Amino acid sequence: MKRLTLILTGLFLWMGVALAQIHVTGTVISAEDGQPVIGASVKVVGTNTGAATNLDGQFSMTVPNNAKLEISYIGMKSQTVKAAENLKVVLQPDNHVLDEVIVTGYGNFKKSSFTGSAATMNTDKLAEVPVVSIEDKLAGGVAGVQITSGSGSPGSVPSIRVRGMGSINAGNNPLYVIDGTPVQSGNTSEFTYSDAGTNILATINPNDIQSITVIKDAAAASLYGSRAANGVIVITTKSGSKGKTNVNFHSDWGFSNMAVNYRPQLGGAARRALLLKGLENYYMFEEGKSAAEAATAAAGDIDDYAAEPKTGWTNWKDLLFKNGSHSNYEVSVSGGNDKTKFYTSMAYNKQEGIVANQGLERFSGSLNLTHDFGKFTVNVSSMMSKMTQSLAGEATSYDGAVANYVFFQNPSSTAYNEDGSYTQGPGYVGVNPLYEYLHSTDRNIVRRMLNSAKLTYHIAKGLDLSEKVTYDYIGGRETVIWDRNSNNGKSSSGVVQRVLNISEQVNTQTQLSYIRSFGLHNLDALLGFETEDMHYEYNFLNGSQYPGELYEVANAGETTSESKVYDSRLTSFLGRVNYNYDDKYYAGLSFRRDGTSRLARNNRWGDFWSASASWRFSAEKFMESTKDILTDGRLRVSYGTNGTQPSGYYPYMNLFKYGEKYNGQSGMGIVNIGNPDLKWEKNRTFNVGFDLTFLQRFTASFDWYTRKTTDLIYDLTMSAVPGYFDTTSKVATMATNIGSLKNTGWELTLTSENFNTKDFSWSTTLNLSHNHNELVKLDGESDMVQDSNYGRVLFHKVGETYNSYYGYEYAGVDPKTGKELYYINDGSANARNTTTNANEAKKVILGSAEASVAGGITNNLRWKFIDLGFTFTYQLGGDAYDYPRWQHSNGGSALYKGATPAYYDLSKMWKGEGDTAAKLPKFQYGSTFVYSSRWMMPLDYLRLKNLTIGFTVPQQYIRSLGINKARVYFSGANLLTWKSADLYVDPELPVTGLANFQTPQLRTYTFGIEIGF
């Protein structure tokens, strides 16, 4: 009887459990396109029981009768529903999931709780834009960020300024942080024959990037201490997620050409007519001949300068420039479960430039793995790449395509003989660039490995201890070959130059974090200790006098070499506390103490800190009546300090070097004048801002800031009398703390969700910014100095923008003589009087490239299976300066031997005495150049920076094939540019604003496909 009772009791208990459960089936679909959501997570609230949707978006599971299910998917708003049979769950898109998270590298914060100034870009919408480097993703997307480049060559090094420039010699580029670790950036090329350089960050596949956050004020940047004075760019790479394993394939192909009509030149007939007029003017006004006599004399001379070749006028632009091409192939695999998540990718990218010997080829791979076990979490990531960059000569290089097009060659010089062979010695400098391209190369092979491992111990709820080690290795092998037939190599019977360089950075991070909530009180604290060890090796090999055509250093008749080794260390202690009460009042404090080996012991340590706060005033009771209109409102304020360490490894030490030569004899010489009193640059930043949301559709974010840098590290020129002399620069300098800079500006970002329905969505973002840079102090004695590189025009004057143009102020054309007029500007009552003699006038500050307003406009649209996205960038205000003086002479010898710019328009030139309508001065053979404001060009422009239109195949057509995504698209970059006709170069110039002979930016056209399994 007892046994029967136990059996019946067990049976009833089993039946009770069975009756308390229900089998649930359902489908999860997207509100955007009505298509199934594959891999969505379905989880029983309060338990670990869960499932994932299949290829049809369906799920099936057994759950307790009264259970609630949470359905979630990345990029969509989660839903909680009561368990039932035949569920149909529609997930709405959450367009702000990633935008609302601010990734600082020392913790992730909701934008609503972040007290500083930062902006995050989700790069998914830019995945199809054809770019080589990570920085290109930022163009036009973040207020206060200026991106320029000295070259449009693939893999070139950009200049990025976050809220202006904060240093002179210690560097102005921001700190780059990848997945929480500062990494190497900048130029890894040691040769300067090309303006492009080799961008270290171009070794990373941009499509492995999930999001980019730009930290602009001190609230979070101070935690990076000595490296964050110029802002921080925090990069988060893609990682795996729980659910079905996804395989994605992406490929694109395209071509490119010049984005603008760069420096248009006169054709053969027009140039001949101009030079003929210049000769006539010379004979009339210099030799006193009559008009008829001058015309006869000029006609007899013109063939010496502008004769038409037997083969017809030469179009050097067509010969020197071509259509570039690019292609990209990549595959990624991601997925995971409750314990392990992974993401891995492989990619191949190739891009050919628009001139010969210019291009880039890159192989890259990445792995990101996360695994939980017990109380531990381990993160392992690895990025590896091999990049080969081909560099072409730029600036005034004899074989430079741009220099030959706009200066050295002219329509009367020829590239080919009548039999089709190359001519020898055409143009101004006697070099045929097409022949040179066959006999000269500059190739840089860069290998990069970025590996990190992190172990986190979850000590208790909210309390974590982590240790992370990162190894960043860059190995370069750049070889320049000028063979025996080249112009550069013929005098040495061939030249080979090679640089082998290795740059290693080891970073360790120990962090203890604590995150807890106590009722309405929320606390987030962090303590950390870091080390950073840098090691750099440089080996230079040179060979010449080659007996044959095997151009390797070992085969040279004469060889020379040089080697250098540098090491430095940075040790840091840091701490941060963030507190908020009731998600209404927020405060943050941070402190970091850095010690660097680049300064003497007495000045080695620097302390950097920040204090910040914000107030969500929309949560106050007195704002309740406005909630229907003002959905959310915050006020933010922050103040803090950063620092900048010297760019040199040993600036405080006197350095001697063997191998220095004097009077032909090798010996030992001083190569660095040390300054034991050298100390940190200090950067103090104040920021106040507000964030507003209206009607849950429109947002506005405004910031006003000021930052001042003191104790600027400046390479002060020293007397060479004691024997201090640098054999490379030919000038003796000593790093010294002098002077100060100030940047003041504002930023405004406006976002609108114009439409958001099942079939159609449209969002718009507009950002505007202004930054004013001012040189506050130099050395305390002088108030103006010449720029060390461009001292003819570029000066640094106290009270003005650091990079200011200095010269004579142009006043138009003298109706009597046809000469250029200049304002006297002597400070007297007659200062606005004019003169044709520049020596009678005084030079003044003419302006700068500083913009009044700059920014971008981005639109993203979707209609059913069609998506469209495009970004415009723009600038209002500021001027470029046309630096090549050879073009400014109104008839100098360079214009008679080489190319002639199209702005010399005969119809607009002075025609004779009394001509008051002339726009251009008299063109006359033998004239000389004068640097004046005449050669400033307005930088106002609007550019269609990128555009993408895609077509996604509806899933009902591909589901049976096991494909969850199929998309084709067209993408373009720099497709349209609107600018002043007086700006005859590309508007994206170096930060100085000086227009030289840079390779212009590329207009690219790309066609691609995406397939997901």
Side-chain angles (χ1 to χ4, degrees):
M1 186 70 180
K2 185 177 181 180
R3 184 178 180 183
L4 178 62
T5 301
L6 291 173
I7 293 174
L8 291 174
T9 301
L11 180 61
F12 285 129
L13 288 173
W14 177 83
M15 291 177 62
V17 172
L19 291 173
Q21 292 185 327
I22 181 175
H23 188 71
V24 178
T25 58
T27 304
V28 182
I29 64 174
S30 169
E32 281 192 298
D33 53 16
Q35 301 303 312
V37 179
I38 304 170
S41 172
V42 183
K43 185 177 180 180
V44 178
V45 176
T47 73
N48 290 323
T49 304
T53 56
N54 61 20
L55 288 174
D56 297 319
Q58 298 175 352
F59 66 92
S60 175
M61 57 192 298
T62 300
V63 301
N65 191 30
N66 294 318
K68 291 185 177 180
L69 306 180
E70 181 184 28
I71 296 92
S72 61
Y73 190 74
I74 295 175
M76 296 184 175
K77 297 178 180 178
S78 299
Q79 279 199 44
T80 301
V81 299
K82 186 177 180 180
E85 297 180 357
N86 299 319
L87 283 172
K88 182 179 180 181
V89 181
V90 180
L91 294 183
Q92 299 290 333
D94 189 349
N95 296 324
H96 302 294
V97 165
L98 289 171
D99 292 340
E100 291 180 350
V101 177
I102 302 297
V103 182
T104 68
Y106 289 105
N108 301 341
F109 305 91
K110 289 185 178 180
K111 188 174 182 179
S112 59
S113 65
F114 186 65
T115 54
S117 178
T120 294
M121 287 183 62
N122 177 12
T123 60
D124 282 350
K125 294 177 180 178
L126 297 175
E128 298 85 11
V129 178
V131 299
V132 172
S133 301
I134 296 170
E135 303 96 327
D136 296 328
K137 298 275 189 180
L138 289 169
V142 178
V145 178
Q146 179 191 21
I147 303 175
T148 60
S149 178
S151 173
S153 176
S156 62
V157 182
S159 294
I160 297 186
R161 299 290 181 266
V162 178
R163 294 182 169 179
M165 66 174 292
S167 184
I168 297 177
N169 294 128
N172 280 288
N173 284 329
L175 172 70
Y176 290 87
V177 176
I178 296 181
D179 293 334
T181 302
V183 298
Q184 301 181 68
S185 61
N187 184 13
T188 189
S189 173
E190 291 285 356
F191 292 120
T192 58
Y193 305 121
S194 169
D195 291 333
T198 302
N199 184 10
I200 292 176
L201 291 177
T203 58
I204 298 174
N205 178 15
N207 289 336
D208 281 335
I209 306 304
Q210 181 65 53
S211 67
I212 302 175
T213 298
V214 181
I215 300 173
K216 296 180 279 189
D217 74 336
S222 287
L223 269 178
Y224 289 100
S226 63
R227 298 164 293 180
N230 297 304
V232 184
I233 295 180
V234 181
I235 297 166
T236 304
T237 61
K238 293 179 179 178
S239 58
S241 59
K242 176 184 174 182
K244 173 182 174 289
T245 297
N246 295 304
V247 180
N248 291 286
F249 173 76
H250 170 214
S251 182
D252 59 63
W253 316 267
F255 61 94
S256 55
N257 51 33
M258 284 189 186
V260 297
N261 183 16
Y262 180 81
R263 290 191 179 277
Q265 304 294 307
L266 291 177
R271 178 176 177 274
R272 181 181 174 91
L274 176 70
L275 299 191
L276 183 64
K277 184 64 176 177
L279 290 169
E280 291 175 1
N281 286 336
Y282 171 78
Y283 284 117
M284 281 194 296
F285 296 105
E286 291 297 322
E287 296 196 0
K289 296 181 182 295
S290 66
E293 291 173 334
T296 301
D301 293 343
I302 190 62
D303 281 346
D304 293 338
Y305 306 103
E308 181 175 3
K310 295 180 180 179
T311 54
W313 300 112
T314 303
N315 187 328
W316 282 99
K317 186 174 184 180
D318 287 348
L319 293 176
L320 292 165
F321 298 96
K322 60 177 182 176
N323 282 335
S325 62
H326 59 270
S327 58
N328 182 54
Y329 306 88
E330 59 183 81
V331 61
S332 65
V333 183
S334 63
N337 53 34
D338 290 331
K339 295 291 185 182
T340 305
K341 303 174 182 65
F342 68 92
Y343 170 88
T344 185
S345 73
M346 293 186 67
Y348 170 77
N349 178 275
K350 185 175 182 179
Q351 185 170 354
E352 295 290 338
I354 59 174
V355 302
N357 297 339
Q358 190 182 78
L360 181 142
E361 184 178 41
R362 180 181 63 210
F363 299 87
S364 62
S366 70
L367 171 66
N368 202 325
L369 178 67
T370 301
H371 179 66
D372 295 317
F373 60 101
K375 288 191 172 185
F376 295 91
T377 298
V378 62
N379 303 89
V380 177
S381 65
S382 178
M383 289 184 176
M384 293 175 286
S385 64
K386 177 187 176 183
M387 182 177 77
T388 301
Q389 182 190 29
S390 296
L391 295 157
E394 294 181 291
T396 54
S397 172
Y398 283 173
D399 61 347
V402 176
N404 274 277
Y405 162 54
V406 302
F407 181 24
F408 298 147
Q409 304 298 335
N410 63 66
S412 296
S413 60
T414 58
Y416 301 101
N417 297 309
E418 292 185 49
D419 61 0
S421 61
Y422 290 104
T423 58
Q424 297 296 319
Y428 189 8
V429 295
V431 175
N432 187 338
L434 303 185
Y435 180 80
E436 288 297 305
Y437 296 154
L438 302 177
H439 300 278
S440 304
T441 59
D442 182 350
R443 183 168 298 171
N444 196 5
I445 301 174
V446 181
R447 293 174 173 86
R448 184 172 197 175
M449 182 169 55
L450 179 60
N451 296 330
S452 69
K454 179 180 179 181
L455 180 66
T456 303
Y457 174 38
H458 307 290
I459 302 172
K461 184 177 181 181
L463 183 63
D464 292 335
L465 175 65
S466 67
E467 180 68 28
K468 183 178 182 180
V469 179
T470 302
Y471 177 63
D472 188 1
Y473 169 87
I474 298 168
R477 183 177 185 266
E478 184 170 5
T479 304
V480 174
I481 298 177
W482 302 326
D483 73 22
R484 295 187 299 170
N485 298 307
S486 69
N487 178 74
N488 291 323
K490 61 185 178 183
S491 62
S492 301
S493 191
V495 174
V496 173
Q497 301 174 78
R498 176 171 294 151
V499 166
L500 303 172
N501 54 5
I502 294 175
S503 182
E504 297 174 294
Q505 178 176 298
V506 178
N507 182 281
T508 68
Q509 297 176 327
T510 304
Q511 296 180 5
L512 180 67
S513 63
Y514 183 67
I515 304 175
R516 284 297 300 271
S517 296
F518 308 92
L520 298 178
H521 303 275
N522 303 281
L523 183 67
D524 182 345
L526 175 75
L527 290 174
F529 171 74
E530 294 185 6
T531 64
E532 181 180 281
D533 290 277
M534 285 286 301
H535 176 77
Y536 181 74
E537 294 182 13
Y538 165 93
N539 292 279
F540 172 73
L541 307 173
N542 182 85
S544 60
Q545 301 301 326
Y546 283 88
E549 302 298 327
L550 296 177
Y551 295 100
E552 184 51 57
V553 176
N555 297 330
E558 295 181 4
T559 60
T560 58
S561 65
E562 182 182 19
S563 63
K564 301 175 184 178
V565 178
Y566 300 98
D567 288 282
S568 69
R569 165 169 268 218
L570 186 73
T571 301
S572 310
F573 302 88
L574 60 96
R576 166 182 57 78
V577 176
N578 288 326
Y579 168 81
N580 90 69
Y581 175 77
D582 195 21
D583 290 329
K584 188 187 302 184
Y585 308 107
Y586 304 84
L589 293 172
S590 71
F591 177 80
R592 182 177 180 119
R593 182 169 173 80
D594 277 344
T596 177
S597 64
R598 302 189 182 200
L599 294 171
R601 291 187 181 277
N602 293 338
N603 300 314
R604 185 154 291 176
W605 291 92
D607 298 324
F608 312 102
W609 59 272
S610 72
S612 57
S614 68
W615 172 37
R616 184 183 291 280
F617 55 82
S618 60
E620 301 289 355
K621 289 185 178 180
F622 63 80
M623 294 293 294
E624 288 184 359
S625 61
T626 66
K627 280 195 172 181
D628 291 340
I629 299 176
L630 181 61
T631 310
D632 190 38
R634 288 197 311 144
L635 176 67
R636 295 174 282 106
V637 63
S638 67
Y639 179 82
T641 64
N642 301 109
T644 305
Q645 61 180 334
S647 57
Y649 285 82
Y650 315 109
Y652 69 95
M653 300 175 65
N654 291 313
L655 298 180
F656 301 83
K657 177 186 173 185
Y658 288 103
E660 296 296 294
K661 292 185 178 181
Y662 178 77
N663 197 25
Q665 299 296 315
S666 180
M668 183 178 69
I670 298 172
V671 294
N672 189 77
I673 307 172
N675 180 5
D677 297 323
L678 190 67
K679 56 187 178 181
W680 297 89
E681 286 188 354
K682 287 292 181 69
N683 190 292
R684 296 170 175 86
T685 302
F686 174 75
N687 188 96
V688 60
F690 61 78
D691 305 303
L692 304 174
T693 302
F694 300 95
L695 303 174
Q696 295 185 340
R697 292 178 54 198
F698 309 103
T699 64
S701 181
F702 178 84
D703 285 89
W704 180 88
Y705 63 88
T706 179
R707 68 179 184 127
K708 186 175 182 180
T709 308
T710 57
D711 294 325
L712 285 170
I713 298 175
Y714 185 81
D715 290 334
L716 190 66
T717 302
M718 306 297 292
S719 171
V721 174
Y724 303 143
F725 187 73
D726 188 311
T727 55
T728 301
S729 65
K730 308 303 181 184
V731 176
T733 61
M734 181 175 71
T736 311
N737 293 106
I738 58 174
S740 59
L741 282 169
K742 183 171 71 173
N743 289 273
T744 305
W746 55 265
E747 300 161 357
L748 176 64
T749 300
L750 303 173
T751 301
S752 170
E753 295 288 341
N754 304 315
F755 294 94
N756 193 0
T757 66
K758 175 183 176 181
D759 289 335
F760 180 66
S761 65
W762 174 23
S763 65
T764 302
T765 299
L766 165 67
N767 70 71
L768 310 91
S769 65
H770 167 73
N771 181 81
H772 175 61
N773 170 266
E774 180 183 344
L775 179 60
V776 178
K777 179 184 175 184
L778 275 169
D779 57 5
E781 298 178 359
S782 58
D783 69 344
M784 185 168 69
V785 296
Q786 291 178 304
D787 184 81
S788 58
N789 296 312
Y790 304 101
R792 294 186 180 91
V793 170
L794 208 60
F795 275 69
H796 316 304
K797 180 176 175 58
V798 172
E800 302 286 347
T801 298
Y802 179 76
N803 287 317
S804 293
Y805 310 137
Y806 183 68
Y808 300 106
E809 186 179 3
Y810 180 64
V813 180
D814 181 13
K816 184 177 181 180
T817 64
K819 295 182 178 181
E820 293 173 306
L821 284 172
Y822 308 100
Y823 290 108
I824 294 177
N825 286 326
D826 59 358
S828 69
N830 299 320
R832 302 310 288 171
N833 288 352
T834 59
T835 178
T836 58
N837 184 357
N839 294 325
E840 296 177 356
K842 287 192 175 181
K843 294 181 177 181
V844 294
I845 296 295
L846 302 173
S848 71
E850 187 173 274
S852 299
V853 178
I857 308 169
T858 299
N859 282 271
N860 288 292
L861 301 94
R862 177 196 53 81
W863 179 69
K864 293 186 176 180
F865 58 89
I866 302 174
D867 60 90
L868 172 66
F870 55 91
T871 295
F872 287 93
T873 56
Y874 66 90
Q875 174 172 327
L876 299 174
D879 294 282
Y881 197 97
D882 191 22
Y883 190 69
R885 63 187 184 277
W886 311 279
Q887 312 285 32
H888 301 169
S889 60
N890 300 317
S893 60
L895 291 175
Y896 271 78
K897 295 177 181 178
T900 307
Y903 52 70
Y904 286 113
D905 187 342
L906 264 177
S907 65
K908 297 179 182 179
M909 285 181 179
W910 181 84
K911 297 176 176 60
E913 186 173 351
D915 184 357
T916 58
K919 302 293 184 183
L920 297 175
K922 173 181 60 179
F923 191 89
Q924 180 176 310
Y925 173 79
S927 298
T928 57
F929 70 89
V930 174
Y931 278 127
S932 73
S933 58
R934 178 186 172 188
W935 308 108
M936 292 170 63
M937 303 176 285
L939 270 177
D940 310 287
Y941 76 92
L942 174 67
R943 167 167 277 174
L944 181 55
K945 190 63 182 176
N946 56 66
L947 177 145
T948 300
I949 181 169
F951 303 87
T952 302
V953 181
Q955 284 201 345
Q956 59 263 34
Y957 300 117
I958 59 176
R959 194 180 308 147
S960 61
L961 302 175
I963 299 174
N964 58 44
K965 182 178 182 180
R967 181 172 177 267
V968 296
Y969 65 88
F970 165 78
S971 180
N974 302 323
L975 294 179
L976 297 170
T977 303
W978 294 269
K979 61 179 182 62
S980 169
D982 293 328
L983 179 64
Y984 34 84
V985 297
D986 195 279
E988 296 186 37
L989 287 168
V991 292
T992 60
L994 297 181
N996 211 320
F997 294 150
Q998 296 94 358
T999 301
Q1001 296 298 308
L1002 305 185
R1003 178 191 292 119
T1004 62
Y1005 304 85
T1006 302
F1007 303 88
I1009 61 171
E1010 294 179 272
I1011 300 176
F1013 302 91

